[in-house]
Amino acid sequence: MIWDTVWDVFSNIFGFISIIGPLLLSGWAWQGIKVKLKSLNEPN
Amino acid sequence: MFTEAVVKLHFIDWVVFVIYLGIVLYIGYYFYKRSKGFDDYFMAGRDLTAPLLVGTLVSTFYGLDTLFGNSEIGFFEGISAFFAYALPYTVLYGVMAFLSPYFKNKFPEGTTMQEIVFRKYGKTAGIFSSIASFFYSTNTMEIMGLGFMFRLITGMPYWMGVIIGVILITGFTWMGGLGAVTITDFMQFVVMLATVGIALVVGWNAIGGYENVMVGLQNFVGEDAEYYFTVGAGYLTPWTLFAYSLTALAVLAEPAFFQRVFAAAGPNEIKKGFTVAIPMWLSYDWCVAFLGILGAAAVGLAIIPEDIVANEALFAVAGQYLPVGILGLFMAGVFAAAMSTADSYFLVAGGVIGYDIYKGVVKPDATSQETERMTKIGILISAAFSLALAFLFDRIMEVWVFQATIILATCVVPVYFGTFSKKAPKKIAGAVATVFGFCASIIWYIWTNFFGTWSDDMEVYVIKIGEVELWQEYGIIIIVPIVIILYLLFNKFGKEIVETEGDE
């Protein structure tokens, strides 16, 4: 990993936020998806 | 008919791509079999929680226009792609973070942005705002982008890629509605962001970081490449930056945005959703812009072929640095970027036909099932319309400038005055504002397009009046102030009120 200039630092940081951010949110989202699927399968 | 593919996918990449597509279509079918009527189909049961909102907000507003457009600007102009072109949108998303909970509080049972206009000003204003929203929600940019993407990975002709893309996305949206859209939007959000993040981190470090990027850029441009790392790319003045940013104001009257706000479980979910979404938007913008810069540097260092077209550079960089399997996921991410945007706007356009026009005007006592059926017909009409425009327009930007102008000129004034003014507004004010805004933006578009000249330097249509040069983008700052004046005048002297305060 190269951290020599401000552009290197921000490219690494924003790159990592892009990779890790959505993955961290997945657990939180899964709870919402489970509720959604449960309500979808309830009888009218 | 087929030519050689620019990005060659390995068999494993194709497997990843097809599995991803299969999962998305299955989710659409799953929701189709369980839909319980219009509210379920169009508003996802009104129980969207913060993480699903993050996924659907980020992926809906970042489509192929962002991916191709920003990487292309990064390729030629460097960091201005992030600071000058992308940041104004994120700033406005920040503004909407404050305003959206207020809309949800004020209209807890709201469904569409146009519904606010119907309720505050009656049918004339409502119909014109609905037509403007329909125009705004056509998916021409995404459809054109899909044709381009399928050509890159298979070598198939552009028209064939366009048609395959439309069939896949329309079929999914028609079946699944907003519930399926928000769940697949979340998947698409993960794939889109993670793959551009991986491509940037791997590519930037493999090439040797900023120092080697500059060497590559200098070889690429054959002169000092410092301008790649200045905000205005060495030629953009504050005024031109402002003019380019004008279309970002369309965020204020985004029909898909309002649909998601109204479908949220509550104002707190909206606040939490935005707080998380904004850093995600910023990261995605940065990655895409810097992948464009990386592409230019890679050409300069002879890592990728020098005859590569600017908007193919992103894919060439991905093909160069991403391992087998991840490249397939990256292409799925590109498809996801188009799909998450296109399915959302097809749905909005369907809602205009099914909910605003059919239930709002033609048959107010329509049942939930009838409204859902008309919404689905609306989706098909929008798909056909988008398809026709994809073959009609040569430049993606002219579609976008027209769409931004018509939605801002027609909807922003009545929606915001109607929501935020303390007194009930007058019917005539909304009618005059929407009719004038709608007609003026069409006349402006025809005038600038057919009587103006295309500037290759600035990539805009320009009309000359004496010494004054007017860009097509200026329509927004010319028409909207006139709409505000007309609205205030007619609101002062008008008499009839459609809705009294406390009705909502």
Side-chain angles (χ1 to χ4, degrees):
Chain A
M1 296 290 289
I2 298 163
W3 300 91
D4 294 345
T5 66
V6 68
W7 306 111
D8 297 320
V9 171
F10 277 101
S11 292
N12 287 330
I13 289 174
F14 279 124
F16 274 116
I17 294 175
S18 273
I19 299 164
I20 292 166
L23 298 177
L24 289 178
L25 277 176
S26 297
W28 192 20
W30 179 240
Q31 292 171 359
I33 292 171
K34 275 198 296 190
V35 173
K36 179 86 237 151
L37 295 180
K38 197 178 164 195
S39 72
L40 207 64
N41 285 311
E42 280 168 2
N44 283 323
Chain B
M1 188 190 281
F2 278 59
T3 54
E4 198 183 345
V6 174
V7 182
K8 293 180 182 68
L9 298 187
H10 188 273
F11 175 72
I12 296 172
D13 292 321
W14 275 112
V15 170
V16 171
F17 186 79
V18 170
I19 288 176
Y20 172 83
L21 198 60
I23 292 172
V24 166
L25 291 175
Y26 176 74
I27 291 173
Y29 178 74
Y30 187 88
F31 273 76
Y32 170 68
K33 296 302 278 181
R34 289 160 181 80
S35 179
K36 295 168 189 162
F38 178 78
D39 230 33
D40 226 26
Y41 179 76
F42 193 72
M43 299 304 287
R46 295 180 192 273
D47 59 2
L48 288 186
T49 52
L52 288 178
L53 273 175
V54 175
T56 190
L57 285 170
V58 173
S59 59
T60 297
F61 298 116
Y62 279 29
L64 289 187
D65 48 330
T66 314
L67 199 63
F68 290 138
N70 282 7
S71 65
E72 188 176 336
I73 296 167
F75 187 84
F76 287 120
E77 298 182 7
I79 60 163
S80 67
F82 177 80
F83 289 99
Y85 295 92
L87 211 50
Y89 284 88
T90 314
V91 169
L92 280 153
Y93 294 141
V95 172
M96 286 308 285
F98 287 99
L99 297 176
S100 301
Y102 188 85
F103 279 107
K104 178 70 182 172
N105 267 329
K106 182 104 176 170
F107 307 101
E109 295 303 314
T111 300
T112 64
M113 177 182 73
Q114 305 78 260
E115 192 181 3
I116 300 175
V117 183
F118 270 109
R119 284 174 63 171
K120 295 285 176 182
Y121 310 98
K123 284 184 181 170
T124 306
I127 289 169
F128 274 87
S129 67
S130 299
I131 300 170
S133 294
F134 186 83
F135 276 129
Y136 183 82
S137 305
T138 54
N139 273 300
T140 313
M141 289 189 289
E142 301 310 314
I143 303 298
M144 290 165 90
L146 275 178
F148 177 74
M149 187 203 94
F150 279 121
R151 188 177 62 75
L152 281 182
I153 58 172
T154 64
M156 70 172 58
Y158 167 77
W159 63 265
M160 196 184 283
V162 164
I163 290 171
I164 290 173
V166 169
I167 291 171
L168 286 173
I169 296 173
T170 313
F172 166 75
T173 319
W174 190 87
M175 288 191 295
L178 187 65
V181 165
T182 49
I183 289 179
T184 53
D185 271 2
F186 191 84
M187 283 170 56
Q188 287 154 357
F189 158 75
V190 175
V191 174
M192 269 166 61
L193 262 82
T195 52
V196 293
I198 292 169
L200 181 64
V201 172
V202 173
W204 188 266
N205 288 284
I207 212 168
Y210 173 78
E211 207 175 304
N212 273 4
V213 165
M214 279 308 287
V215 174
L217 291 174
Q218 269 160 15
N219 292 342
F220 177 63
V221 294
E223 55 179 285
D224 184 11
E226 278 298 323
Y227 69 87
Y228 265 84
F229 288 89
T230 58
V231 173
Y235 78 100
L236 292 170
T237 63
W239 175 255
T240 50
L241 288 173
F242 168 74
Y244 280 133
S245 310
L246 284 171
T247 50
L249 290 168
V251 169
L252 297 172
E254 250 286 349
F257 203 94
F258 277 81
Q259 185 194 13
R260 274 147 188 75
V261 165
F262 291 140
N268 279 339
E269 297 299 314
I270 298 170
K271 283 180 202 161
K272 281 191 272 182
F274 271 104
T275 310
V276 179
I278 287 174
M280 299 297 150
W281 272 314
L282 286 173
S283 304
Y284 188 72
D285 279 332
W286 185 281
C287 291
V288 170
F290 273 68
L291 280 171
I293 298 173
L294 201 58
V299 172
L301 294 169
I303 295 169
I304 58 175
E306 63 178 342
D307 59 348
I308 205 98
V309 184
N311 49 19
E312 293 174 358
L314 177 83
F315 299 93
V317 168
Q320 181 70 31
Y321 291 112
L322 291 180
V324 169
I326 299 290
L327 181 62
L329 204 59
F330 179 83
M331 294 317 299
V334 174
F335 182 74
M339 184 159 185
S340 55
T341 304
D343 57 17
S344 298
Y345 287 110
F346 277 145
L347 198 57
V348 168
V352 168
I353 305 281
Y355 186 78
D356 295 315
I357 301 295
Y358 183 70
K359 188 172 171 58
V361 180
V362 179
K363 195 179 178 191
D365 60 346
T367 63
S368 174
Q369 279 69 23
E370 284 173 328
T371 312
E372 184 184 333
R373 194 161 51 244
M374 283 309 293
T375 302
K376 288 181 171 178
I377 291 172
I379 289 170
L380 298 181
I381 294 171
S382 175
F385 191 55
S386 304
L387 197 59
L389 291 182
F391 292 110
L392 212 68
F393 283 100
D394 293 329
R395 299 186 183 95
I396 285 181
M397 267 315 282
E398 53 180 294
V399 185
W400 169 232
V401 174
F402 172 66
Q403 289 177 320
T405 307
I406 200 164
I407 200 76
L408 276 164
T410 311
C411 297
V412 79
V413 174
V415 166
Y416 280 80
F417 276 97
T419 304
F420 291 97
S421 60
K422 284 183 180 154
K423 285 184 182 174
K426 310 288 170 44
K427 182 181 180 182
I428 186 76
V432 170
T434 49
V435 173
F436 177 83
F438 184 86
C439 296
S441 40
I442 288 181
I443 291 166
W444 175 261
Y445 177 76
I446 292 171
W447 187 36
T448 49
N449 236 44
F450 294 102
F451 299 98
T453 49
W454 175 257
S455 161
D456 277 329
D457 290 343
M458 304 308 286
E459 299 202 331
V460 291
Y461 274 102
V462 179
I463 278 281
K464 282 190 179 173
I465 303 174
E467 292 299 304
V468 181
E469 283 192 349
L470 297 175
W471 289 13
Q472 196 168 44
E473 279 81 347
Y474 294 176
I476 293 166
I477 45 171
I478 294 170
I479 300 168
V480 173
I482 300 173
V483 174
I484 293 174
I485 293 166
L486 286 172
Y487 179 94
L488 292 174
L489 272 175
F490 280 88
N491 200 43
K492 185 165 180 59
F493 298 110
K495 287 193 171 65
E496 194 181 346
I497 290 169
V498 176
E499 180 193 72
T500 53
E501 285 303 299
D503 274 5
E504 63 258 7

